[in-house]
Amino acid sequence: MTTSAETQSCVVVTGASTGLGAASARELARRGFHVLAGVRRDQDADAIRAPGVEPVILDVTKPEHIADLAARIAEWPGALRALVNNAAISVTAPFETLPLDEWRRTFEVNLFGQIAVTQALLPALLRHSGRVVNISSIGGKVALATCGPYSGTKFALEAVSDALRREVAPLGMHVVVVEPGAVRTAIGGRAIAETDRLAAAMSPEQQERYGPLLQATNANTAANMANGRSADQAAQVIAKAVTAGKPRTRYTIGWDAALFTRLARLLPDRLLDRITAARISGS
């Protein structure tokens, strides 16, 4: 792939401050792309900046940030090859206990933010026969107890991706979904801290009802982060989704994602309930 400014292809990666997004930005730059890496803070920009990686301040819930990104794409002399929608937050809490504003915040970041960025960049992607790569999750196929907020956004992202793929396929554009299982990134630690914060705000009755479940959930998250794939390994799959000549509509990352996406299709709900409960409890 040539790397002259006149012809070099550009890829946008949102949520590139750390973890999977940062690893994907580095891997795509290594493969010869110019990567616009969306970060939320100046210190994150300093950390990710490297040859082929240009940090851009991007909070996907802020229209002005998205407008600035679209303007940067408009002035780029090469093609926009792909948009990797990776920005997300993990919110884990029992359905009853999570304030509605927290539900809305999760959807704003994990779903509406992705839609807003995609809408802004879609004209450029269509001009260059680019593609959208949406980072979903195993949680977009199977919703574990306490994962309603996060899984709700990922189930919705899966549906939105299907609809968009069917709309733009006749126009020569691909839409790909990547479904990671456990990956060793900072999001796990942040999820545990967020769960603890939300648990502290529960009423005594709610803590009695759900306290043991949340403890088991946090233990399961910690175990997954310890045993999951590295971010660099996961980034290889995302890079494949960006570069494959004929990409699949979906890629899984890790044995757990591959297994549970199949179980979700094959098993009755009650049996899947028992399996997911055992997964959280570790039994």
Side-chain angles (χ1 to χ4, degrees):
M1 181 186 297
T2 180
T3 56
S4 68
E6 289 75 19
T7 58
Q8 186 180 15
S9 293
C10 179
V11 175
V12 172
V13 180
T14 70
S17 297
T18 60
L20 189 53
S24 298
R26 290 191 295 266
E27 176 60 25
L28 289 164
R30 188 186 69 78
R31 297 189 184 206
F33 295 102
H34 183 85
V35 180
L36 296 180
V39 299
R40 295 181 63 196
R41 302 177 300 178
D42 289 336
Q43 55 264 46
D44 296 327
D46 293 337
I48 193 68
R49 186 178 286 108
V53 180
E54 176 187 342
V56 293
I57 298 300
L58 178 64
D59 180 332
V60 298
T61 68
K62 294 186 179 299
E64 62 271 23
H65 288 186
I66 297 173
D68 289 344
L69 173 63
R72 179 70 185 94
I73 291 296
E75 67 185 19
W76 181 252
L80 177 59
R81 175 67 175 274
L83 164 63
V84 179
N85 280 314
N86 174 71
I89 57 175
S90 181
V91 177
T92 304
F95 188 103
E96 175 190 356
T97 68
L98 190 67
L100 192 55
D101 284 347
E102 296 284 355
W103 283 89
R104 291 192 174 108
R105 180 175 71 96
T106 308
F107 273 80
E108 284 292 340
V109 176
N110 293 6
L111 179 64
F112 299 127
Q114 318 309 318
I115 292 171
V117 175
T118 303
Q119 284 182 330
L121 301 189
L122 201 56
L125 289 164
L126 287 166
R127 280 196 301 272
H128 300 116
S129 297
R131 68 187 56 170
V132 174
V133 178
N134 285 332
I135 310 303
S136 180
S137 169
I138 184 177
K141 293 296 188 182
V142 179
L144 301 181
T146 76
C147 292
Y150 181 76
S151 284
T153 65
K154 295 302 186 180
F155 269 72
L157 185 63
E158 296 262 353
V160 166
S161 300
D162 285 344
L164 179 61
R165 184 183 70 251
R166 289 158 185 158
E167 291 167 8
V168 299
L171 305 177
M173 182 176 152
H174 294 290
V175 177
V176 182
V177 174
V178 178
E179 298 161 342
V183 178
R184 298 194 304 271
T185 69
I187 195 171
R190 290 195 295 267
I192 291 172
E194 182 74 356
T195 298
D196 289 341
R197 179 185 71 83
L198 294 169
M202 293 191 310
S203 70
E205 292 81 4
Q206 290 172 340
Q207 290 180 355
E208 183 177 356
R209 278 197 288 272
Y210 303 115
L213 175 60
L214 289 176
Q215 290 176 4
T217 297
N218 276 353
N220 182 61
T221 299
N224 286 340
M225 293 306 100
N227 299 319
R229 289 197 169 195
S230 71
D232 288 339
Q233 289 174 316
Q236 297 286 331
V237 180
I238 293 173
K240 182 177 181 179
V242 169
T243 60
K246 294 182 178 180
R248 303 203 308 255
T249 59
R250 281 172 170 79
Y251 294 85
T252 58
I253 299 177
W255 68 267
D256 51 347
L259 174 63
F260 273 88
T261 54
R262 286 169 174 78
L263 292 180
R265 292 197 301 267
L266 298 173
L267 297 184
D269 287 344
R270 298 297 186 190
L271 179 54
L272 192 59
D273 288 350
R274 291 196 291 273
I275 292 172
T276 57
R279 177 178 172 86
I280 291 177
S281 67
S283 60

